[in-house]
Amino acid sequence: MLVASAISQGYGSTVVLDGVDVRLGAGVYGLLGPNGAGKTTLLTTLSTAVPPRSGRLVIDGVPITGPRTARHVRRTVGYLPQPFAFSPTFTMHDFLHYVAWTKGVPRAKAVVAVREVVEQVGLGAKMGAKLGSLSGGMLQRVGIAQALVNRPRLLLLDEPTVGLDPEQRIEFRRLLGTLEATTVLLSTHLVEDVAASCSDVLVMTDGRIRFAGSVGELREKADPSADDMVTTDLDRAYLRIVRDNACVG
C-alpha cells in the first residue's frame, strides 16, 4: 500500500529525514519518537503535501513522480495534521463537504459520507455548528472526520487523540478497528495508544527509523533494569531504543 525508499527531507540546511525506509500494508501502525524526531515531517511527506528532497514514494501502487501523480493519489489519502487548519466561520457540515469536494468525492456520495463520518466521531448533533464554537476535543474529532470523509486507503494521523477525554479515546480506538483494508499510520506520544490500537510500530529518532516490527517484538526489547517509575515493558523498550540512539549520528 505504501512504500517509501531512502526518503530525505529538510528545510534549508537542516536535515529532518535522513534516508527513511517505510513499507506498510493494510493494518494500523504506530509511529513513536521524541519531540524533534521527524514524525510530523514524515507524515507530511507521505501525505504528498511536501515532496521529498530525495528518495522514492509509492502509494497504492502509484509512484509519486510530480504534482500530477501527487494530486491523483490524494484522493485515496486521509491526513490529520497537528493542528489541522480550518475557518472558524464554516459550519461542520460545510467544512466536511468542502473537504470531500477537494478529494473528488461525487456530490451524491459526499452526502452519505459526511453523515457517516460525523456519526463515527459522535458529533451528529453538531452538524450545523460553526467550527469556531466547538471545544478543542470536538474540533479534534472534526479533524478525524475530515481525514475519513473520502474513505481513504491510506490514513495518516498526527497525534489524533490530543484533546480527547478517556471515553473518546476508547471510541477512537474502536473506530480504528473498523477500518478494514486501510493502511493507518498513527503518530503519537502515548505508548498506551500504540499498545491498544496497533499491531506494528515504528520508532524514530533524529530523522531515522530505529525500529520497525510488531508491538510484541518491541516489547521484547524492554530493559528489566530500567527506572521503576516506567511501568510497562513497552515503555521500557521504547525508552531503551531512544536512549541507545541518543548519541548515534
Side-chain angles (χ1 to χ4, degrees), residues 72-104:
H72 174 73
V73 300
R74 281 178 200 145
R75 297 189 173 198
T76 67
V77 175
Y79 177 38
L80 172 63
Q82 178 62 30
F84 81 96
F86 63 92
S87 170
T89 61
F90 266 88
T91 65
M92 183 170 61
H93 171 276
D94 291 346
F95 174 69
L96 292 175
H97 274 273
Y98 169 73
V99 174
W101 173 76
T102 66
K103 298 289 187 178

Side-chain angles (χ1 to χ4, degrees), residues 40 43-44 78-99 102-103 121 123 129-149 156-164:
T40 290
L43 292 184
T44 302
Y79 177 38
L80 172 63
Q82 178 62 30
F84 81 96
F86 63 92
S87 170
T89 61
F90 266 88
T91 65
M92 183 170 61
H93 171 276
D94 291 346
F95 174 69
L96 292 175
H97 274 273
Y98 169 73
V99 174
T102 66
K103 298 289 187 178
V121 300
L123 288 175
K130 290 186 177 181
L131 298 183
S133 71
L134 300 180
S135 68
M138 288 180 181
L139 283 173
Q140 190 68 359
R141 285 186 278 163
V142 174
I144 294 168
Q146 64 81 31
L148 291 168
V149 74
L156 305 168
L157 302 170
D158 196 354
E159 299 288 351
T161 59
V162 169
L164 302 187

Side-chain angles (χ1 to χ4, degrees), residues 16-38:
V16 181
L17 302 179
D18 188 9
V20 170
D21 294 320
V22 177
R23 187 180 186 92
L24 307 178
V28 182
Y29 299 78
L31 177 61
L32 292 171
N35 290 333

Side-chain angles (χ1 to χ4, degrees), residues 1-220:
M1 178 60 211
L2 183 147
V3 180
S5 304
I7 296 292
S8 295
Q9 186 63 278
Y11 310 95
S13 61
T14 302
V15 176
V16 181
L17 302 179
D18 188 9
V20 170
D21 294 320
V22 177
R23 187 180 186 92
L24 307 178
V28 182
Y29 299 78
L31 177 61
L32 292 171
N35 290 333
K39 302 187 302 297
T40 290
T41 299
L42 177 60
L43 292 184
T44 302
T45 303
L46 297 181
S47 76
T48 76
V50 179
R53 280 183 167 178
S54 61
R56 186 169 185 261
L57 178 60
V58 180
I59 297 175
D60 204 17
V62 179
I64 309 305
T65 57
R68 183 172 176 273
T69 50
R71 286 193 300 270
H72 174 73
V73 300
R74 281 178 200 145
R75 297 189 173 198
T76 67
V77 175
Y79 177 38
L80 172 63
Q82 178 62 30
F84 81 96
F86 63 92
S87 170
T89 61
F90 266 88
T91 65
M92 183 170 61
H93 171 276
D94 291 346
F95 174 69
L96 292 175
H97 274 273
Y98 169 73
V99 174
W101 173 76
T102 66
K103 298 289 187 178
V105 180
R107 183 184 296 271
K109 291 184 177 181
V111 172
V112 176
V114 168
R115 187 186 311 120
E116 286 181 350
V117 295
V118 167
E119 293 300 327
Q120 284 178 309
V121 300
L123 288 175
K126 295 291 184 178
M127 185 73 89
K130 290 186 177 181
L131 298 183
S133 71
L134 300 180
S135 68
M138 288 180 181
L139 283 173
Q140 190 68 359
R141 285 186 278 163
V142 174
I144 294 168
Q146 64 81 31
L148 291 168
V149 74
N150 60 322
R151 297 175 181 171
R153 288 178 53 78
L154 172 63
L155 181 60
L156 305 168
L157 302 170
D158 196 354
E159 299 288 351
T161 59
V162 169
L164 302 187
D165 63 33
E167 183 177 359
Q168 290 163 355
R169 285 172 59 195
I170 291 171
E171 289 302 317
F172 171 73
R173 294 169 185 169
R174 289 175 179 161
L175 173 58
L176 289 182
T178 68
L179 301 177
E180 297 180 2
T182 303
T183 300
V184 182
L185 182 57
L186 163 65
S187 174
T188 181
H189 285 89
L190 301 175
V191 175
E192 62 188 276
D193 278 353
V194 171
S197 305
C198 304
S199 59
D200 293 86
V201 60
L202 310 174
V203 179
M204 288 190 75
T205 68
D206 300 315
R208 298 180 183 179
I209 301 294
R210 305 295 187 175
F211 172 87
S214 70
V215 171
E217 289 169 336
L218 177 59
R219 189 176 283 112
E220 290 174 359

